[in-house]
Amino acid sequence: MTEKVVDIGFLEEKEAWLLHPRFFPSKVGGKPAWLELKNTPAPSELTCKQCNEVMIFLCQVYAPYEERDDAFHRTIFIFVCKNGGCCRPNSSNNFKVFRSQLPRKNDFYSFEPYEENKNEKFAMDKWPKLCNVCGVKAPSHCSKCKKEFYCSRKHQIIHWQKGHKELCSNSNEMNDCNFIVTEAAKSFLFKEWELIVDEEDQEEVKNVDTNQEMEKLRQLIQEKKAGTMSDLNESELEEYTGKMPEDKVFNKFSKRIARHPDQVLRYDRGGVPLWITAQSDNIDIPNCPYCNEPRQFEFQIMPQLLNFINIGIEINSIDWGVLAIYTCKSSCNESPAYKEEILIKQDLSN
Ligand SMILES: [Zn+2]
Ligand SMILES: [Zn+2]
Ligand SMILES: [Zn+2]
Ligand SMILES: [Zn+2]
């Protein structure tokens, strides 16, 4: 039996302006490059179920349904709570996923693709203001200068402390930083990358000693753990890694990712996730609440992504094994413009 072709995603550095919404990017970190610009989720729709703070942008995947005009442009957005303490084993309470789609002819973008011209202006004045710090819809603004906008009091304070205090009274220009990470937010948001998606190699990696590959993966996870649980001593770490599952699922997982050890995404719409460990229960994916059709698996985010985004901004950090995203099978076009979808977080057994 031949294997179904799966697309996989890698990260590459890219100049920030090339990740603007008009280029319909897939990307990780920075601010969200929203697709529909008028009805982006309100901060209240992006709060963490554990701590109630506004989540920050993790990544987005541009995944149109080529055959459908109403999904000519289509992007899935993932948000996560920045507070590592909200991360619980096999719980997705600290995540949110949204799907947005547009026909080719729409109110926001030209019918023909944009040229890569850095100086081209893209007017945002028609659309609601976005938070200076995180890029989420901003209902409030700086009451002194009225030129800076915020999703929440917390982000206003961050901006004030990181420099707006000095600049507020003499800022006479409107900031054009809707999608560009501001200096104030650099240490607050995840590092920004372009997400390149390409076909997975069909070949099994030859002459790979599975044990060796598993050892590598174990090390990767150990490093990750060492970076995040900095207070663990060596013997505790050993104990932790000693508990790594040697099960068939994990074996299959590590063998498959050995073809491309740097992959951060596996895209297989209508397929099945590559789980990291045996699923304890059968997962029950609720139907799409907007059209009542079933949802299907669309893609998964791999644990490798943690190595690229966790740039020392948190001690008590975020973690996952696999993040599997399920979306409406018919990719329905009901309102709202941003439809919530389902994320299943699977962790290595603990
Ligand atoms: Zn939280
Ligand atoms: Zn914000
Ligand atoms: Zn101000
Ligand atoms: Zn639906």
Side-chain angles (χ1 to χ4, degrees):
M1 210 179 89
T2 53
E3 210 171 60
K4 198 180 156 203
V5 180
V6 172
D7 287 336
I8 53 175
F10 304 95
L11 298 182
E12 272 185 28
E13 306 247 10
K14 190 96 170 182
E15 283 187 71
W17 68 272
L18 285 165
L19 298 172
H20 186 274
R22 69 183 185 276
F23 302 124
F24 308 106
S26 293
K27 57 168 254 177
V28 163
K31 292 178 176 178
W34 297 113
L35 181 62
E36 205 270 11
L37 299 171
K38 190 179 176 188
N39 300 291
T40 56
S44 59
E45 294 172 82
L46 281 165
T47 50
C48 169
K49 289 193 192 95
Q50 304 279 3
C51 72
N52 248 351
E53 279 183 22
V54 180
M55 297 180 175
I56 62 167
F57 173 72
L58 178 64
C59 64
Q60 65 187 72
V61 179
Y62 181 69
Y65 275 32
E66 285 89 359
E67 69 284 5
R68 289 248 310 266
D69 179 61
D70 65 348
F72 183 84
H73 298 298
R74 178 176 175 278
T75 304
I76 312 294
F77 297 84
I78 305 179
F79 290 80
V80 64
C81 177
K82 222 191 139 209
N83 180 0
C86 295
C87 204
R88 306 285 157 83
N90 300 310
S91 157
S92 56
N93 275 354
N94 56 332
F95 285 91
K96 283 234 168 137
V97 180
F98 289 93
R99 168 171 59 87
S100 176
Q101 59 198 51
L102 290 174
R104 185 168 179 185
K105 191 174 184 321
N106 61 68
D107 293 343
F108 308 96
Y109 308 98
S110 70
F111 190 78
E112 298 299 334
Y114 289 85
E115 276 177 32
E116 291 190 354
N117 174 359
K118 192 176 181 177
N119 299 318
E120 185 172 13
K121 287 271 170 273
F122 187 89
M124 282 295 291
D125 42 331
K126 273 203 275 182
W127 316 123
K129 296 285 185 281
L130 301 174
C131 176
N132 173 293
V133 175
C134 72
V136 164
K137 190 183 270 182
S140 54
H141 59 268
C142 174
S143 54
K144 277 186 160 176
C145 67
K146 300 185 175 61
K147 281 171 185 153
E148 298 291 351
F149 294 81
Y150 306 103
C151 70
S152 58
R153 177 113 184 101
K154 191 182 173 192
H155 291 186
Q156 179 168 8
I157 292 169
I158 290 171
H159 192 222
W160 186 258
Q161 289 170 342
K162 293 262 167 100
H164 189 56
K165 190 179 176 181
E166 283 78 40
L167 296 170
C168 179
S169 48
N170 49 20
S171 81
N172 42 17
E173 247 181 282
M174 204 68 174
N175 269 333
D176 184 23
C177 57
N178 285 296
F179 304 104
I180 301 286
V181 178
T182 56
E183 219 32 64
K186 268 210 174 114
S187 58
F188 184 76
L189 300 177
F190 295 124
K191 180 173 161 57
E192 190 170 41
W193 300 87
E194 182 177 29
L195 178 56
I196 312 274
V197 183
D198 207 350
E199 273 181 21
E200 180 185 42
D201 282 348
Q202 290 301 91
E203 292 290 304
E204 290 282 337
V205 179
K206 300 257 161 47
N207 306 319
V208 161
D209 177 349
T210 321
N211 285 328
Q212 204 186 325
E213 280 310 316
M214 279 182 64
E215 196 47 51
K216 262 199 224 155
L217 182 69
R218 213 176 272 126
Q219 239 164 32
L220 185 142
I221 291 160
Q222 179 173 333
E223 275 164 24
K224 199 182 81 193
K225 291 290 171 195
T228 57
M229 303 186 202
S230 47
D231 50 345
L232 280 187
N233 64 36
E234 217 166 292
S235 66
E236 282 171 320
L237 263 179
E238 230 160 70
E239 194 196 342
Y240 183 89
T241 50
K243 278 188 210 148
M244 287 294 164
E246 299 275 346
D247 63 37
K248 268 187 180 156
V249 183
F250 185 65
N251 220 324
K252 187 179 158 200
F253 179 88
S254 45
K255 223 171 144 181
R256 190 73 188 259
I257 68 166
R259 297 183 202 176
H260 301 281
D262 283 348
Q263 63 189 276
V264 298
L265 166 100
R266 296 181 68 82
Y267 189 94
D268 186 14
R269 188 160 77 203
V272 286
L274 181 65
W275 296 115
I276 195 164
T277 185
Q279 198 68 10
S280 43
D281 305 296
N282 278 334
I283 41 168
D284 186 24
I285 305 295
N287 280 2
C288 171
Y290 308 99
C291 73
N292 208 29
E293 292 292 312
R295 284 184 169 110
Q296 66 181 358
F297 172 69
E298 181 163 353
F299 63 87
Q300 72 189 75
I301 302 296
M302 307 298 279
Q304 287 92 322
L305 182 60
L306 290 158
N307 296 337
F308 295 90
I309 57 164
N310 257 349
I311 40 157
I313 49 173
E314 289 282 86
I315 304 158
N316 182 16
S317 200
I318 302 154
D319 198 15
W320 64 76
V322 158
L323 304 175
I325 313 301
Y326 293 79
T327 56
C328 174
K329 200 170 174 177
S330 58
S331 203
C332 62
N333 210 11
E334 323 287 317
S335 57
Y338 284 81
K339 287 169 265 293
E340 207 174 332
E341 298 286 13
I342 297 284
L343 178 149
I344 302 291
K345 177 158 84 77
Q346 193 191 46
D347 290 294
L348 273 165
S349 58
N350 47 340

